[in-house]
Every structure is written in structure tokens, then in C-alpha cells.
Amino acid sequence: NGKNGTINGYKNESLNIAVVGGGLVGSLAALHMGKRGHNVTVYEYREDIRTAELVIGRSINLALSVRGRTALREVGLEDKMLKHGIPMYGRMIHNIDGTRNVIPYDRNSNQAIYSVGRKYLNEILITATEKYPNINLKFNKKMSGGKVEKGEVHFVDTSTQQEETANADLIIGCDGAFSSVRREFLKKNAFNYQQIYIEHGYLELCIPPAKDGEFLMPANYLHIWPRGKFMMIALPNQDRTWTVTLFMPFENFDSIKSSDELLKFFETFFPDSIPLIGEERLVKDFFKIPAQHLMAVKCRPYHISSKCVLIGDAGHAVVPFYGQGMNAGFEDCTILSRLFNKYGSDLEKILNEYSETRWEDAHAVCDLAMYNYIEMRDLVNKKSFLFRKAVDDL
Ligand code: FAD
């Protein structure tokens, strides 16, 4: 292996790789490829997240689980993330009468998922790429088109409007749910594509720390207020705040037009959360930005020729109820890396096998995430006979 530039008899050469999108998955993909010695350039639409203001409307924290941890471990970043993350050992259910009960994730070995900050995670990943002289970061570069089947991508610099073309051996499309790379796939034959917007949206609220600077609720749980047709959840942050996310049909969001209506709604459905969030903050945050849409994408195949592949949300955007969108995108990096181990730099073999073997799991995560919304907002609180009836009624 590795002798004369081969792996398992396949050529193993250094490739020029263009990573489109420097979000969570793009920056991790760059690390995985950079670690292998390839020349990687990351083209990111936004400015450098390390110096940018926090973007409102995007989930502030995420649940990191085993899939994601494995991919982070492979680039030496798992421990750092776990040190920052807050373990959540189960769900803490908030009942309408103010009582709470715990449902552990694992009764035997105390496994946990970790609440991690999106910005922190992205920053650590981007900073880690700087250790590799063969990884080059380019910010404010928006992909505008290209001939991806030939390894060609066009970018526009969002500050100077200057155009730039990259010619790469491999383009890795990691530009998220509304992927521009994927748009090029849609122009080709035999590309299967499905996009679904669900009728529910989400809005983020915040529970501040207590007066003594500590958490206002038990920290090591994912808190859920299941209310049948809708729900609210809360994940802990390092600064002792909670990011609270309300998921609800848009018609319910639209029916709340004034602060009185909002407070009445919360008094009816989430009474114990009002003193935690605080009336003033609740009203301010609720009306700050409109509820955001949630979308799922399934597509297949994930590659074109031996030049371009889609990973992360660009290949499989999922609704967030299974907490696996980022984790599945991180796992894409692990799988691609293993295929490079198997086939050296033979991109035809690598991309074919990636597409063939990845879609079933990715589509399954998409379906499980849709199902888990019903589990979290409704079934989590039901006795087994009611649970069965609710599933039958689906
Ligand atoms: P993104 O994070 O969308 O990054 C794409 C990047 O590409 C961005 O930086 C963007 O600026 C850039 N880009 C876009 N267009 C272009 C272009 N034309 N040219 C160049 N660059 C471009 N997942 C979990 O695993 N656990 C959770 O708990 C969880 N919670 C979530 C909660 C909510 C409310 C939501 C909405 C999602 C949640 N997710 C969760 C899903 C997770 O956010 C996504 O799966 C993850 O962000 C996907 O990463 P990505 O890098 O593929 O895409």
C-alpha cells in the first residue's frame, strides 16, 4: 500500500479539490481531504464566520451524536468538541400541568448526545484547516454556475463582483439545502430529485441564565414540551442560556398577531416556560423574525462523471427532528475518506461506490426525521396503546 503511489493497486495521486461551501460539512470535508495530502480550496459564500456577526434565524446549537463524533475523531477534533459540548442523557418532558418527567436515551451505559454551538463548531473546523498548508480558504465567493461534469466552477466575489473560475479534479458540493452545485445536476439526464416543504415552521427563543449565572433548568437533558400538533424544545448553551425552538404549523404562527395573543397562547400551552423566558423577552424574540421554513431533499445519484459529488445538506437535507442532518453530513466525510482508503485517487471508483452505497441510508434518515416529529411532539407522552393508535392514524 502506498508503494509507487498506489493503494490496493489503484493509483494514489495528489488531487486538486474544490470544496463549494465552507459550512459545517464543507470545512470538515476539507480537513478530511487535506489530511490525505490533496490540494484543497474551499469557496465560501459568506464572510469568515470567525469575524462575522451571528446570523439570526439559523439554529444556534445542534445535537452532536455518534455519526458526527466519528468523523470529527478522524481529524483529531472529537475531544475538543466534547469538552465544549453539554451532554444530554435523555429527554426531559414538560407536561402542561407543570410537572416534568425524564426519558433516558440509554438506561444501561449512560450514553449521551451533545449540545454544541453551530458557530463554535464551524469556527473550530475552519481554524483547524489553517494547520494544513495544502488547504486554502476563500471567503465571499458565491458559486454562480459551471460545468461541474468537467470539474469547472464559476464564482463571483460578493465584495468586488469579480468573476473567477476553478478547474478541479474533484468538486465537492457542500453548499447546503439550496445547493448551487446540485442545481447543475438538475440540468442533466437521469438525476432523481425530490424537494418537500413541510407545513410547519420554526422560530427560536431564548431562556437566559439564572441570577447566579447558572442554568434555569436541569442542564443535561434535551427539554421537550410535546403538545400534539406542535412542540417546543430547548438545548443548553455554554453560556448557561437555552436555545428554545418552537415548531408549529404556519397557520398557528400566523394566528398570533399581538403580544396579548402570544402570552395567552403560551399561558395555555407552555405555562411553565413563561417565567423562564420572561414575558418581555418572549414578545421581543417571537416577533423579531418570521417563522422559518423546513425543507427536505432526496436525490440520486450524488455524483456526475468522475468530477463532482454532493455531500451534506446539498445531497440530503432533512427536517431537524431526528437531530441527524449535520451528523449524517459528517458521516458522508467518513464514508468518502474510507473510499479514498480503498481506491486511492481513482475518482471513478470512489464516486460510483459513494452514490451506490450512500443513498439508501441518506433517504432513510430523511424518512426517520419526518417520523420523529410525530414521535417528539405527540407520541413521546403516550401510553403504548395510544401510541399504536396514533401510528395507525398517521
Ligand atoms: P450548511 O450548514 O447549510 O452550509 C452550507 C454552506 O455553503 C454555508 O456556509 C453557505 O454560506 C455556503 N453556500 C451556500 N451557497 C453557496 C454558493 N452558491 N457558493 C458558495 N458557498 C455557498 N443537525 C444535526 O445533526 N443535529 C441537530 O441537532 C440539528 N438541529 C437543527 C435544527 C434546526 C432548526 C435546523 C434548521 C437544522 C438542524 N440540523 C441539525 C441540521 C444541520 O443544520 C444541517 O444538516 C447542517 O447545517 C448541514 O451542513 P452543511 O454544511 O451541509 O450545510
Side-chain angles (χ1 to χ4, degrees):
N1 270 358
K3 208 172 156 210
N4 302 325
T6 61
I7 285 187
N8 301 326
Y10 295 95
K11 65 179 178 200
N12 185 33
E13 295 161 350
S14 169
L15 302 170
N16 289 321
I17 299 181
V19 172
V20 182
L24 298 173
V25 174
S27 45
L28 182 61
L31 281 172
H32 273 256
M33 293 299 124
K35 197 179 154 206
R36 313 190 74 83
H38 298 300
N39 295 313
V40 182
T41 307
V42 180
Y43 297 87
E44 166 53 43
Y45 178 9
R46 295 172 305 183
E47 60 188 303
D48 189 338
I49 192 172
R50 294 168 295 183
T51 47
E53 294 270 311
L54 189 66
V55 186
I56 304 176
R58 200 70 209 277
S59 73
I60 288 163
N61 52 23
L62 308 114
L64 173 69
S65 59
V66 168
R67 286 189 177 85
R69 283 174 57 183
T70 305
L72 290 169
R73 192 180 315 135
E74 288 162 349
V75 293
L77 289 176
E78 185 192 19
D79 288 344
K80 192 160 193 161
M81 295 307 177
L82 293 192
K83 253 185 224 147
H84 156 88
I86 299 170
M88 299 181 291
Y89 295 100
R91 297 162 169 164
M92 183 170 278
I93 307 297
H94 292 241
N95 301 305
I96 213 152
D97 61 5
T99 56
R100 298 172 182 179
N101 55 290
V102 168
I103 305 175
Y105 285 128
D106 173 13
R107 287 183 197 281
N108 302 321
S109 54
N110 221 17
Q111 290 188 80
I113 52 176
Y114 287 76
S115 178
V116 292
R118 179 187 288 276
K119 190 167 189 282
Y120 177 86
L121 194 50
N122 210 164
E123 283 177 0
I124 295 294
L125 289 166
I126 285 181
T127 301
T129 64
E130 288 180 340
K131 283 198 213 113
Y132 292 88
N134 51 326
I135 303 180
N136 184 13
L137 298 171
K138 292 190 169 189
F139 295 101
N140 303 314
K141 304 287 178 195
K142 182 181 183 206
M143 176 178 166
S144 52
K147 295 182 184 128
V148 295
E149 72 285 2
K150 295 194 162 79
E152 186 180 310
V153 218
H154 307 305
F155 297 95
V156 176
D157 188 299
T158 54
S159 42
T160 63
Q161 306 309 317
Q162 257 189 346
E163 292 177 6
E164 175 177 342
T165 296
N167 283 293
D169 299 315
L170 174 65
I171 302 163
I172 307 186
C174 321
D175 52 342
F178 302 95
S179 169
S180 301
V181 181
R182 193 181 61 225
R183 203 170 303 137
E184 298 304 315
F185 281 53
L186 287 167
K187 300 173 187 164
K188 308 289 172 212
N189 281 330
F191 179 61
N192 296 297
Y193 177 67
Q194 184 195 56
Q195 170 185 310
I196 292 176
Y197 278 96
I198 63 168
E199 285 161 17
H200 296 233
Y202 75 98
L203 192 144
E204 286 185 336
L205 304 165
C206 173
I207 295 177
K211 283 208 176 77
D212 63 2
E214 270 314 310
F215 282 111
L216 270 175
M217 301 191 291
N220 296 114
Y221 298 99
L222 193 158
H223 290 250
I224 310 181
W225 289 256
R227 295 296 180 260
K229 284 234 172 303
F230 48 85
M231 70 169 179
M232 198 161 77
I233 64 169
L235 271 72
N237 294 311
Q238 274 291 335
D239 62 1
R240 305 302 190 252
T241 61
W242 293 83
T243 301
V244 181
T245 313
L246 174 60
F247 295 97
M248 192 160 77
F250 279 101
E251 58 186 3
N252 292 72
F253 278 115
D254 293 344
S255 70
I256 302 171
K257 294 195 167 62
S258 68
S259 37
D260 284 349
E261 282 169 355
L262 174 66
L263 292 174
K264 204 162 162 217
F265 173 78
F266 265 72
E267 275 155 20
T268 310
F269 294 107
F270 309 112
D272 66 330
S273 73
I274 300 176
L276 298 170
I277 301 172
E279 281 190 16
E280 206 178 312
R281 184 188 290 266
L282 172 60
V283 171
K284 194 172 126 246
D285 287 353
F286 187 90
F287 293 109
K288 192 154 53 186
I289 56 164
Q292 306 289 296
H293 285 275
L294 290 166
M295 188 245 238
V297 167
K298 283 183 185 171
C299 65
R300 192 184 163 203
Y302 295 123
H303 74 290
I304 296 190
S305 68
S306 59
K307 292 282 185 181
C308 185
V309 66
L310 299 171
I311 67 170
D313 277 17
H316 45 75
V318 300
V319 289
F321 309 112
Y322 205 44
Q324 288 296 341
M326 166 195 70
N327 286 296
F330 281 6
E331 190 178 55
D332 294 344
C333 299
T334 297
I335 291 172
L336 261 189
S337 264
R338 288 186 187 152
L339 291 170
F340 274 84
N341 285 344
K342 191 168 166 189
Y343 295 123
S345 57
D346 189 327
L347 290 172
E348 201 177 321
K349 287 261 177 214
I350 292 169
L351 300 196
N352 268 323
E353 190 161 323
Y354 180 79
S355 269
E356 269 307 302
T357 54
R358 190 57 178 149
W359 72 271
E360 259 180 317
D361 284 347
H363 289 198
V365 168
C366 200
D367 295 338
L368 284 165
M370 287 284 187
Y371 163 77
N372 214 43
Y373 187 26
I374 300 152
E375 153 79 23
M376 283 176 87
R377 73 183 193 221
D378 194 17
L379 309 185
V380 71
N381 238 3
K382 290 207 159 122
K383 301 258 185 309
S384 58
F385 71 96
L386 284 174
F387 183 96
R388 273 201 306 277
K389 182 177 178 318
V391 172
D392 288 345
D393 290 347
L394 286 180

